[in-house]
Every structure is written in structure tokens, then in C-alpha cells.
């Protein structure tokens, strides 16, 4: 893990405010409080989702939330997350970039239950005396993750079932094809 950046004089209050936003966002997500989540977002926020979707603006995020978590045909029944930061937010005047990891527990609508180790990057902007999230990118390792493992295991199980069925069919066809020897 990278060493925390040196806090410049007067930046401690800013970092405290950003920590409070992170904690409130985590709490709101875990309680499925969409309006509380949205209260921390810039009106023109850009959200790159884990399923490679990009949503711009709060209304688009509301629609995504309904599609994935809140609607009648939603994919996710419940999600809880624990966000950790890798270092202090890198401040650039009235903008900042934060990044870190998350441990996410998904209960899917089909009854599946998965835990994902995620990575995230968040860009914040200060408007007036308030910090808002302008962009949030969320991802996971596409080469090593629980969904990929689930698909691999299902494929292996299906392949084993097909192999056993093929052996059984071959055995029965082989026995049927033999004719008793006549004298």
C-alpha cells in the first residue's frame, strides 16, 4: 500500500470532510438509501459501473439503481460494501482524486450470494463550501473474480455431466451392437 500523502497546512479539515462523505456514502449504500447517496453527487456526475455501464447525471443513476437493485426485475436483491482508501485524497485546488478498495457482498435475485473485492476511483469537486462526487469508477479483476469462478465451475460440472452421458451412451450402443457368436 502506498504511503499516505503529506497533509499540507490547513488540509486536515478538508480530509475530515472527505472522510465523512466516504462514510455517509457507505452507510447509505448499505441501507439502500438512494436519495442519501445522490445527495453527495454532482448533478452531472459520471458513474462507470462494475457491469461496464456508464451513467451520467442523477436521474440516470436512479434508473440504474431501479434496474439493478430496486425494480421488479432487478438483478441484485441486496448489496453491502466496506470501502477502504489507499491514501489521502490527492487535492488539486477545488478538485480531488480518491482511490481504494472495497469488499462487497451481493445477494442476487436468483438466490446467488457472492463476495467481490472491488477497486474504485472517485473524483470530487468543491462547489462553494461543499465537496461533491463528480465521477466514480468501480471495477473488479476480470481474470479472477467470484462470477468468473462460478461460470468456470458450472462449465466444468456441465462438461463432466456430458462426458458421463457420452460414456453411458457409448457403453449401451457398444453392447447393443455386439451379436452373439453362432456355432
Amino acid at each position: 500500500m502506498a504511503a499516505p500523502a503529506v497533509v499540507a497546512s490547513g488540509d486536515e479539515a478538508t480530509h475530515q470532510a472527505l472522510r465523512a462523505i466516504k462514510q455517509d456514502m457507505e452507510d447509505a449504500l448499505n441501507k439502500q438509501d438512494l436519495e442519501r447517496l445522490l445527495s453527495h453527487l454532482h448533478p452531472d456526475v459520471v458513474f462507470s459501473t462494475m457491469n461496464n455501464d456508464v451513467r451520467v447525471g442523477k436521474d440516470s443513476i436512479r434508473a440504474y439503481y431501479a434496474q439493478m437493485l430496486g425494480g421488479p426485475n432487478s438483478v441484485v436483491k441486496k448489496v453491502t460494501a466496506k470501502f477502504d482508501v489507499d491514501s489521502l485524497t490527492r487535492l488539486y485546488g477545488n478538485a480531488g482524486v480518491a482511490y481504494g478498495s472495497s469488499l462487497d457482498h451481493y445477494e442476487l435475485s436468483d438466490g446467488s450470494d457472492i463476495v467481490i473485492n472491488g477497486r474504485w476511483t472517485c473524483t470530487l469537486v468543491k462547489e462553494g463550501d461543499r465537496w461533491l462526487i463528480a465521477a466514480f469508477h468501480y471495477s473488479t479483476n476480470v481474470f479472477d473474480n467470484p462470477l468468473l469462478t462460478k461460470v468456470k465451475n458450472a462449465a466444468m460440472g456441465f462438461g463432466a455431466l456430458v462426458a458421463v452421458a457420452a460414456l453411458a451412451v457409448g457403453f449401451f450402443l457398444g453392447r447393443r451392437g455386439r451379436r452373439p457368436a453362432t456355432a
Side-chain angles (χ1 to χ4, degrees), residues 151-168:
V151 169
K152 284 180 184 177
N153 289 343
M156 293 294 289
F158 182 72
L161 183 63
V162 168
V164 168
L167 286 172

Side-chain angles (χ1 to χ4, degrees), residues 32-134:
Q32 268 67 85
D33 186 344
L34 179 60
E35 292 309 311
R36 195 164 127 203
L37 278 169
L38 294 173
S39 74
H40 293 289
L41 306 182
H42 188 277
D44 296 319
V45 65
V46 176
F47 176 40
S48 298
T49 69
M50 192 180 293
N51 62 339
N52 210 27
D53 198 359
V54 176
R55 297 298 177 121
V56 179
K58 291 182 180 184
D59 288 339
S60 183
I61 290 174
R62 273 188 191 92
Y64 175 78
Y65 191 91
Q67 172 191 349
M68 296 302 291
L69 188 64
N73 299 319
S74 62
V75 176
V76 179
K77 183 177 174 184
K78 183 178 180 184
V79 61
T80 55
K82 171 69 175 120
F83 292 99
D84 290 311
V85 296
D86 287 354
S87 67
L88 290 175
T89 300
R90 295 177 180 271
L91 297 173
Y92 306 94
N94 286 337
V97 176
Y99 58 96
S101 62
S102 67
L103 182 61
D104 312 317
H105 178 213
Y106 291 87
E107 295 176 30
L108 302 182
S109 298
D110 70 0
S112 299
D113 192 83
I114 57 173
V115 174
I116 293 180
N117 293 303
R119 296 291 305 165
W120 56 269
T121 304
C122 178
T123 303
L124 300 110
V125 294
K126 189 172 185 182
E127 292 196 348
D129 62 347
R130 190 156 182 245
W131 285 93
L132 297 170
I133 296 170

Side-chain angles (χ1 to χ4, degrees), residues 3-17:
V6 176
V7 178
S9 175
D11 284 347
E12 183 55 33
T14 297
H15 289 293
Q16 279 301 106

